[in-house]
């Protein structure tokens, strides 16, 4: 009988603690307000670059960098509002993950710009003055 009371007492205490754990769990995952703010920011950070491209508001070179800037900000918004990464959670390890993500983001974006620039320069050779031959083709004639 004492083991039955002990098991019942344990379940009751566990149930009570479990409810408190659910509150902490929900708090750690964010609220409806956080998700709404994240969604609105994501829509804005997508709509503005789309508008810039469709209306040709800026020169093409500037537009590329503006889009990359908006993309970088959007990654951070997703990390904060949807992945709930901040300096307080997980003993600060989430902040370390965010710093690593930002570093990798800079490497990927700058590498992408570099590759696209050089690919365009190397894959689209300049036409000669007469327009009949492509650069390098006059050697074959």
């Amino acid at each position: 009988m004492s083991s039955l009371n002990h098991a019942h007492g344990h379940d009751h205490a566990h149930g009570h603690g479990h409810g408190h754990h659910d509150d902490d769990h929900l708090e750690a995952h964010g609220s409806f307000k956080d998700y709404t703010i994240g969604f609105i920011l994501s829509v804005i950070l997508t709509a503005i670059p789309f508008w810039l491209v469709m209306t040709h508001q800026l020169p093409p070179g500037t537009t590329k960098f503006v889009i990359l800037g908006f993309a970088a900000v959007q990654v951070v918004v997703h990390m904060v509002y949807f992945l709930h990464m901040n300096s307080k959670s997980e003993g600060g390890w989430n902040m370390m993950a965010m710093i690593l993500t930002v570093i990798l983001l800079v490497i990927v974006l700058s590498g992408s710009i570099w590759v696209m620039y050089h690919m365009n320069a190397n894959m689209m050779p300049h036409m000669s003055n007469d327009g009949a031959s492509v650069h390098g083709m006059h050697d074959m004639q």
Side-chain angles (χ1 to χ4, degrees), residues 93-115:
W93 283 106
N94 277 347
M95 183 56 76
M96 295 299 289
M98 185 180 295
I99 291 169
L100 176 65
T101 302
V102 168
I103 291 170
L104 291 174
L105 181 67
V106 168
I107 291 170
V108 168
L109 291 177
S110 59
S112 296
I113 292 171
W114 184 77
V115 166

Side-chain angles (χ1 to χ4, degrees), residues 30-42:
S31 65
F32 181 73
K33 179 181 174 185
D34 288 337
Y35 286 115
T36 304
I37 291 170
F39 176 73
I40 292 170
L41 287 174
S42 296

Side-chain angles (χ1 to χ4, degrees), residues 50-120:
F50 184 79
W51 175 77
L52 287 172
V53 169
M54 296 305 290
T55 60
H56 305 287
Q57 293 294 316
L58 300 172
T62 306
T63 303
K64 291 176 192 175
F65 289 107
V66 170
I67 290 172
L68 287 174
F70 274 95
V73 171
Q74 191 167 53
V75 166
V76 174
V77 165
H78 283 239
M79 290 173 62
V80 170
Y81 287 100
F82 298 120
L83 298 177
H84 314 293
M85 297 177 111
N86 58 34
S87 61
K88 298 173 191 165
S89 61
E90 301 294 329
W93 283 106
N94 277 347
M95 183 56 76
M96 295 299 289
M98 185 180 295
I99 291 169
L100 176 65
T101 302
V102 168
I103 291 170
L104 291 174
L105 181 67
V106 168
I107 291 170
V108 168
L109 291 177
S110 59
S112 296
I113 292 171
W114 184 77
V115 166
M116 287 188 284
Y117 172 78
H118 285 88
M119 184 170 51
N120 186 42

